[in-house]
Amino acid sequence: MPVTITDVAKKAQVSTATVSRYLNRSGYVGQEAARKIKQAIELLGYKQKISSFNPTPVKLIEVNFPNIDNPFYAELFEYLSGYLKEKGYDCVLHIDHFHIQDFDYYLKRFKKHEISGLITSSLLHISQKDLNRNLPIISFDRKISPKIPTIQSNNLDAGAQIAQSVLNRGKNKILIIAGAKEDYYPINDRIKGMMRVFNTYKMKVTLESLNANESIIAKKIMIQQILQKHEYDAICCTDDITALIAKQCSDFLKLDPLITGFDGTNLIQTLFPSLITVRQHTKELAQLMSDLLLKHINDPLYPLESVYTLPVTLINQYNH
Amino acid sequence: MPVTITDVAKKAQVSTATVSRYLNRSGYVGQEAARKIKQAIELLGYKQKISSFNPTPVKLIEVNFPNIDNPFYAELFEYLSGYLKEKGYDCVLHIDHFHIQDFDYYLKRFKKHEISGLITSSLLHISQKDLNRNLPIISFDRKISPKIPTIQSNNLDAGAQIAQSVLNRGKNKILIIAGAKEDYYPINDRIKGMMRVFNTYKMKVTLESLNANESIIAKKIMIQQILQKHEYDAICCTDDITALIAKQCSDFLKLDPLITGFDGTNLIQTLFPSLITVRQHTKELAQLMSDLLLKHINDPLYPLESVYTLPVTLINQYNH
């Protein structure tokens, strides 16, 4: 007599529904349960009947970003969407304007099989119970829980490289502008990296922070006011758009400080090839995130690290 | 005895399931059926029991754009997402890289109540049968069917304004660069508008087209080659990014033609305040699309026009 799904369920001490979910790779099976089911399948030599147990699984990944005003997020989503498409997955983007998302929204979507995976750059509050569900979730740039892999660029190192390149040019009246104070995690690391170098050389540094949800025009006015109050010979910005606004304001005020950015998207690299900035490798970041997520979806037991950190590239360090 | 849903169904000559869908505003009820049900409800004085017939309806709108490399789509989605959030709707973005979408993908999502409405800038192929379902769909910039409202800027008029402003400056060696030849509808209208004016004055005009899915770097190389072959005193581009690449290439080749763009997003306006361009009113476009879609979702009989055309604003016409 062939081994049935009921035998597997009995052996694994879980419900047949759980086994069915496991077999259909819906992604909604706890880690412990998945381990037991996998063991039971191997022990009993269970063979899945493809026809009866494999209804087309949903192949939709949801990506959650704070906004796409910044071309960095737009470029990252373009790459994610392209990679996932190659692997047979559709991909949709949700933006939350830096409001912390209620995890129930996603949990419901997982349960109703509306999405098969989540890539988020938002600080989700997930309960221990929900974490134990072992859902396929990948975080970009945010440390949500050690159980949810975080993919990031080496922001700390990038910040240090930027600072070193500013000091190499003999600058000493330094302003740091944080483009989005809500974007705590990555930006904080960038600033920490800069400060580590500036502090080593006992440089006096001024820090100003902009509100992420301000319009780009409001940001321009703020930066103009900052630059009118004091004179700086270097302005280190935590993203390229802020750097380009600072450049505009400086030109307008007939100032000529050294200005550095962060992100190095194709768009900004093409339109402003001379900007000193750090390139985050969006293509590689997107590929890694897609690969890890699909590995988890296809095998909930696949071992993932807590944090994956990719290197960055300093651009135009010898210019100016 | 109170009037029941069965009485309404009988009177309207439709199934109770259809009446239930109508009452729950799932959006999946034919126009004719909706009309009959509405009549039956009024005739019989049926009162909906809120508790039993109103499970939380899905409040998710899907937006489909060809890409978000161009900040125009990113800005439009930001506004759409903001407006829909205000009205209690979540909103996700799907990008298709100019591949024509199979309508079945959306039909399934409507049927499974995963989405309650669709805003698309893709050329969907919808069968007559599916059109008769009267689903809440709004098109941006594409004429899919007279049954699906199209919202657009006045591209024809905008093109004419751009051409007139080029002629006013005495230019006569004119190049038009279409930034995305796949983006047929709006771009074609822009070029038609320009040509109407140029032809009136019997101007010789060269037209070159770029491939939308090329990387921004590949586009730069192409434009460089075009500009090396002939000299032009005006370059009219069908979007701002193409205009800015053309500006870069001209600077590199030490040429100084008049360059015009199209779209006028906040991002580009802030970073390049001097660019001659046409501003599409993204905020108003997003508001109109959201309003019309929600009107249809809340009342499938709400009468909508086939086409809504918003005016544009010429920017920097007196500069240079």
Side-chain angles (χ1 to χ4, degrees):
Chain A
M1 219 162 70
V3 181
T4 68
I5 185 174
T6 319
D7 300 328
V8 174
K10 216 176 264 175
K11 189 83 194 168
Q13 294 177 292
V14 299
S15 70
T16 51
T18 307
V19 178
S20 163
R21 281 202 302 273
Y22 175 87
L23 293 170
N24 291 328
R25 290 170 182 174
S26 67
Y28 183 51
V29 176
Q31 206 155 358
E32 184 54 21
R35 202 185 48 75
K36 282 189 193 158
I37 294 167
K38 199 178 178 184
Q39 267 184 355
I41 287 173
E42 280 164 16
L43 226 76
L44 300 172
Y46 171 77
K47 297 249 179 311
Q48 188 177 0
K49 279 186 234 146
I50 299 299
S51 55
S52 59
F53 279 119
N54 245 344
T56 327
V58 58
K59 291 206 155 188
L60 185 68
I61 307 295
E62 181 145 329
V63 177
N64 189 71
F65 284 159
N67 66 42
I68 47 170
D69 279 347
N70 185 332
F72 172 76
Y73 284 118
E75 183 172 306
L76 192 58
F77 183 69
E78 283 271 353
Y79 279 126
L80 280 172
S81 171
Y83 274 114
L84 289 166
K85 193 82 201 165
E86 273 176 27
K87 307 282 180 185
Y89 282 76
D90 273 302
C91 174
V92 291
L93 174 68
H94 181 255
I95 55 176
D96 63 18
H97 301 98
F98 291 95
H99 294 129
I100 290 173
Q101 286 282 298
D102 184 359
F103 187 66
D104 273 357
Y105 169 76
Y106 294 109
L107 187 60
K108 261 188 218 152
R109 289 166 68 77
F110 273 115
K111 282 191 176 177
K112 287 165 72 187
H113 299 277
E114 290 177 12
I115 55 173
S116 44
L118 172 65
I119 295 172
T120 179
S121 191
S122 260
L123 267 184
L124 292 172
H125 282 314
I126 313 191
S127 67
Q128 200 52 47
K129 190 181 150 212
D130 286 337
L131 276 172
N132 288 339
R133 294 177 195 270
N134 188 30
L135 291 164
I137 304 175
I138 297 279
S139 156
F140 176 68
D141 255 354
R142 303 277 184 281
K143 297 207 172 94
I144 299 171
S145 150
K147 289 192 178 176
I148 294 178
T150 301
I151 283 76
Q152 60 180 17
S153 290
N154 195 336
N155 290 296
L156 209 64
D157 173 59
Q161 285 192 50
I162 284 277
Q164 193 62 58
S165 115
V166 165
L167 291 184
N168 289 349
R169 284 179 181 81
K171 308 296 178 189
N172 56 29
K173 283 176 280 177
I174 295 154
L175 169 68
I176 297 177
I177 305 183
K181 60 182 166 207
E182 295 81 352
D183 215 353
Y184 184 74
Y185 271 109
I187 284 185
N188 207 40
D189 275 359
R190 289 170 200 176
I191 296 174
K192 243 197 234 165
M194 293 179 195
M195 290 310 294
R196 205 171 274 179
V197 172
F198 288 138
N199 285 338
T200 305
Y201 294 90
K202 303 208 168 35
M203 304 302 288
K204 208 184 139 248
V205 175
T206 308
L207 173 66
E208 297 276 2
S209 296
L210 306 181
N211 189 322
N213 282 331
E214 291 291 8
S215 74
I216 192 163
I217 293 132
K219 286 182 178 179
K220 195 170 177 177
I221 294 168
M222 271 202 65
I223 294 178
Q224 203 128 321
Q225 287 170 341
I226 294 167
L227 298 188
Q228 272 167 331
K229 271 188 298 187
H230 290 282
E231 207 176 321
Y232 302 95
D233 60 9
I235 306 177
C236 304
C237 302
T238 58
D239 66 281
D240 289 343
I241 300 301
T242 305
L244 294 173
I245 304 175
K247 176 87 180 77
Q248 275 263 325
C249 295
S250 300
D251 287 353
F252 179 79
L253 297 169
K254 307 228 185 305
L255 302 169
D256 191 22
L258 179 73
I259 296 178
T260 66
F262 207 110
D263 288 339
T265 54
N266 294 324
L267 181 72
I268 299 301
Q269 282 286 295
T270 307
L271 301 184
F272 298 93
S274 67
L275 182 70
I276 299 179
T277 189
V278 156
R279 172 141 183 82
Q280 295 202 64
H281 295 281
T282 39
K283 198 170 162 180
E284 286 74 14
L285 287 166
Q287 196 163 14
L288 180 61
M289 284 193 267
S290 307
D291 286 351
L292 296 179
L293 189 66
L294 297 187
K295 275 191 174 124
H296 184 118
I297 289 173
N298 291 319
D299 175 7
L301 290 181
Y302 188 89
L304 295 176
E305 308 284 330
S306 279
V307 181
Y308 295 80
T309 305
L310 294 195
V312 296
T313 306
L314 192 60
I315 307 265
N316 285 326
Q317 50 185 318
Y318 304 115
N319 275 14
H320 303 266
Chain B
M1 219 162 70
V3 180
T4 68
I5 184 173
T6 320
D7 300 328
V8 174
K10 215 177 265 175
K11 189 84 195 169
Q13 294 177 295
V14 299
S15 71
T16 50
T18 307
V19 178
S20 164
R21 282 202 303 275
Y22 175 87
L23 293 170
N24 292 327
R25 288 169 184 176
S26 67
Y28 182 53
V29 176
Q31 207 155 358
E32 185 55 22
R35 202 186 48 75
K36 282 190 197 158
I37 293 166
K38 198 176 175 183
Q39 268 184 352
I41 287 172
E42 281 166 14
L43 227 75
L44 301 172
Y46 171 77
K47 296 251 178 311
Q48 190 177 0
K49 279 185 233 148
I50 299 299
S51 54
S52 58
F53 280 119
N54 245 342
T56 328
V58 58
K59 291 206 153 184
L60 185 69
I61 306 297
E62 183 146 327
V63 177
N64 190 69
F65 284 160
N67 66 41
I68 48 169
D69 279 348
N70 186 333
F72 172 75
Y73 284 118
E75 182 172 307
L76 192 58
F77 182 68
E78 283 270 354
Y79 279 126
L80 280 172
S81 171
Y83 273 113
L84 289 166
K85 193 81 201 165
E86 272 175 29
K87 308 281 181 186
Y89 282 76
D90 273 303
C91 173
V92 292
L93 174 68
H94 181 255
I95 56 177
D96 63 18
H97 302 99
F98 291 97
H99 295 129
I100 290 173
Q101 286 283 298
D102 182 1
F103 187 66
D104 272 357
Y105 168 76
Y106 293 109
L107 187 59
K108 261 188 219 153
R109 289 167 67 75
F110 272 116
K111 282 192 177 176
K112 286 164 73 189
H113 298 280
E114 290 177 12
I115 54 172
S116 43
L118 172 66
I119 295 172
T120 181
S121 190
S122 260
L123 267 184
L124 291 171
H125 283 314
I126 313 192
S127 68
Q128 200 51 48
K129 189 180 151 215
D130 286 338
L131 276 173
N132 288 339
R133 294 178 196 270
N134 188 31
L135 291 165
I137 303 174
I138 297 280
S139 156
F140 176 67
D141 254 353
R142 305 277 183 278
K143 296 205 174 99
I144 299 171
S145 151
K147 288 191 178 177
I148 294 179
T150 301
I151 283 76
Q152 61 180 17
S153 289
N154 196 336
N155 289 296
L156 209 65
D157 172 60
Q161 285 192 52
I162 283 277
Q164 194 59 59
S165 114
V166 165
L167 292 183
N168 288 350
R169 286 179 181 79
K171 308 295 176 188
N172 55 28
K173 284 177 280 180
I174 293 153
L175 168 67
I176 297 178
I177 305 182
K181 61 181 166 211
E182 295 81 351
D183 214 355
Y184 184 74
Y185 270 109
I187 284 186
N188 207 39
D189 274 358
R190 289 171 201 177
I191 296 174
K192 240 196 239 167
M194 293 179 197
M195 291 310 293
R196 203 170 277 179
V197 173
F198 289 138
N199 286 338
T200 305
Y201 293 91
K202 302 207 168 35
M203 304 303 288
K204 208 183 140 247
V205 175
T206 308
L207 173 65
E208 299 275 2
S209 295
L210 306 181
N211 188 323
N213 282 330
E214 291 291 8
S215 72
I216 192 164
I217 293 133
K219 285 184 178 177
K220 195 171 175 175
I221 295 168
M222 272 201 66
I223 294 179
Q224 203 129 319
Q225 288 169 342
I226 294 168
L227 297 189
Q228 271 168 334
K229 272 188 299 188
H230 290 282
E231 205 177 321
Y232 302 96
D233 60 8
I235 306 177
C236 304
C237 303
T238 58
D239 65 280
D240 289 341
I241 300 300
T242 305
L244 293 174
I245 304 176
K247 176 86 181 73
Q248 275 263 325
C249 296
S250 301
D251 287 352
F252 179 79
L253 298 169
K254 309 227 185 303
L255 302 168
D256 190 25
L258 179 74
I259 297 178
T260 66
F262 207 109
D263 287 340
T265 54
N266 294 324
L267 182 72
I268 299 300
Q269 282 287 294
T270 307
L271 301 184
F272 298 92
S274 67
L275 182 72
I276 298 177
T277 189
V278 155
R279 170 141 185 82
Q280 296 202 64
H281 295 281
T282 39
K283 197 170 162 180
E284 286 74 12
L285 287 166
Q287 194 163 17
L288 181 60
M289 284 193 266
S290 308
D291 286 350
L292 295 179
L293 188 66
L294 297 187
K295 275 190 174 126
H296 184 118
I297 289 172
N298 290 320
D299 176 8
L301 290 181
Y302 188 90
L304 295 176
E305 308 286 328
S306 280
V307 181
Y308 296 80
T309 305
L310 294 196
V312 296
T313 306
L314 192 59
I315 307 269
N316 284 325
Q317 51 184 317
Y318 303 116
N319 277 14
H320 303 263

